[in-house]
Amino acid sequence: MDRRPAYYALRIAVVTALYVAGWAALVVIGDSWWTLLDAVFLAFVFGQVALLAHDIAHRQVFRLRRATEVSGRLVGNLCIAIGYGFWRDKHTRHHTHPNNEELDPDIHPSVILWTQGQARAAQGLPRLVAPVQAFLFFPLLTLEAFNLRLGSIRSLGDRSLKDRGWEAGLLGAHFAAYLGALFLALPPGKAIAFLLAHQCLFGIYLGSVFAPNHKGMPTLRGTDRTDFLRRQVLTSRNVRGGRIIDILFGGLNHQIEHHLFPSMPSPHLRRAQAIVRGHCQELGIGYLETSLTESYRQALASLHHAGAPLREARTT
């Protein structure tokens, strides 16, 4: 549970260098379609910034609350335009009630439906999408970055949001700097192409990191009284892999350990895994760990299963 200041100092330095390099490359390459390669690179970098913001919000990096909040807003609001307060509130509710149909905002019905019960009650666009949502899941992830920005902006209207002025100012500064850089460095057509490529790929990266963690795992309801250990372990899935997977996922491939110990620094999750897995085996609690491709297969199979009632209704 000890903090890792040297690790996070190095990680912050590396991510900052990549972030600066990505924007410098835009200026250096200039008016050329080769800038779309830089858009791909910056999509990865924005994902790494988001994963760093995740660790900061969980107080894995700084001991003091004020340092956590200031750095979280700088990294989240200013660097990638995802509201720190909006995301922290949403993510805290997810950690408290993972995969709970009524209480986990990550599986609230939207365009995507997560259970057959949600499918039966669906109306409008979700009802049209649900029968084929497994095939549309990854294409729809192209909209996830835009969805998070929209949620961040909407949250500014909530008077309970702490430091709304700072949140709004930093979001505005990001949008002004981002759009200014694109339209100063590129003609309008290329600037729009860069923006779409960058943001769509950023959304796919975020969704691809978070989808294997809980999608396709058992769901709960508000009336369930499952104890903490089972609630966190049975609704989470780990993804096998080495250091490359750890880097791509920011350590969240060890999702079970992260849910049991949210403030544990991400490089320690791999070390905790053997202890947690052994303890679960002793208690007879299912501990699921799969390959990356199998995690996606299970998630997509679950989405396909959720849409079954509407496919059957169409057939009838």
Side-chain angles (χ1 to χ4, degrees):
M1 297 300 296
D2 292 343
R3 286 181 171 81
R4 291 284 300 274
Y7 164 83
Y8 277 110
L10 177 61
R11 183 171 166 185
I12 290 170
V14 170
V15 171
T16 301
L18 293 175
Y19 189 90
V20 172
W23 288 113
L26 174 68
V27 176
V28 171
I29 297 172
D31 183 5
S32 168
W33 288 110
W34 288 106
T35 54
L36 293 182
L37 291 179
D38 188 43
V40 176
F41 173 72
L42 273 175
F44 166 76
V45 174
F46 268 46
Q48 288 294 306
V49 174
L51 291 170
L52 180 59
H54 169 273
D55 286 11
I56 291 172
H58 275 295
R59 302 192 70 177
Q60 297 175 18
V61 182
F62 300 103
R63 180 177 60 85
L64 298 178
R65 181 180 298 276
R66 187 59 181 168
T68 295
E69 291 180 349
V70 170
S71 58
R73 289 189 177 93
L74 289 174
V75 174
N77 293 55
L78 184 61
C79 291
I80 56 175
I82 296 177
Y84 173 77
F86 153 75
W87 182 86
R88 183 182 60 179
D89 172 71
K90 176 176 177 289
H91 196 62
T92 298
R93 287 185 284 133
H94 158 70
H95 265 266
T96 306
H97 304 286
N99 264 26
N100 188 301
E101 292 183 45
E102 300 168 16
L103 301 174
D104 182 356
D106 286 356
I107 62 167
H108 280 176
S110 55
V111 177
I112 294 292
L113 304 175
W114 308 104
T115 67
Q116 291 193 351
Q118 292 177 352
R120 292 186 184 97
Q123 298 294 329
L125 181 61
R127 190 174 184 86
L128 294 175
V129 171
V132 292
Q133 62 183 7
F135 303 98
L136 297 177
F137 179 68
F138 283 104
L140 285 172
L141 287 181
T142 58
L143 304 176
E144 180 60 18
F146 299 103
N147 181 50
L148 289 170
R149 272 54 176 276
L150 182 60
S152 299
I153 294 170
R154 284 177 173 171
S155 72
L156 299 176
D158 183 357
R159 293 183 179 276
S160 66
L161 180 67
K162 187 178 179 181
D163 293 330
R164 283 196 302 162
W166 276 107
E167 294 260 353
L170 292 172
L171 285 174
H174 173 90
F175 291 134
Y178 183 92
L179 295 174
L182 289 189
F183 285 94
L184 284 174
L186 302 172
K190 290 187 176 71
I192 293 172
F194 184 101
L195 184 151
L196 291 175
H198 177 215
Q199 297 301 326
C200 291
L201 291 173
F202 175 39
I204 291 174
Y205 182 25
L206 284 181
S208 298
V209 166
F210 286 96
N213 300 339
H214 302 280
K215 303 303 182 275
M217 299 302 292
T219 58
L220 307 173
R221 297 189 65 83
T223 56
D224 289 332
R225 293 292 182 265
T226 309
D227 65 79
F228 175 81
L229 178 63
R230 287 169 175 78
R231 183 166 68 248
Q232 302 298 342
V233 174
L234 296 177
T235 60
S236 303
R237 177 197 295 110
N238 278 10
V239 175
R240 285 193 297 269
R243 298 298 179 186
I244 298 299
I245 293 294
D246 281 358
I247 292 171
L248 291 176
F249 277 68
L252 296 182
N253 45 310
H254 305 289
Q255 188 68 194
I256 295 173
E257 289 71 29
H258 171 60
H259 262 255
L260 290 173
F261 308 102
S263 62
M264 179 181 288
S266 58
H268 288 174
L269 295 174
R270 178 180 289 275
R271 296 168 57 188
Q273 183 177 20
I275 301 170
V276 172
R277 182 166 47 201
H279 184 63
C280 289
Q281 289 173 350
E282 289 178 8
L283 296 179
I285 299 174
Y287 181 104
L288 181 61
E289 184 179 28
T290 72
S291 67
L292 181 60
T293 54
E294 176 61 16
S295 72
Y296 290 137
R297 189 200 68 76
Q298 291 180 10
L300 294 176
S302 175
L303 288 174
H304 193 64
H305 176 72
L310 296 181
R311 288 194 301 276
E312 293 169 2
R314 286 184 179 183
T315 302
T316 303

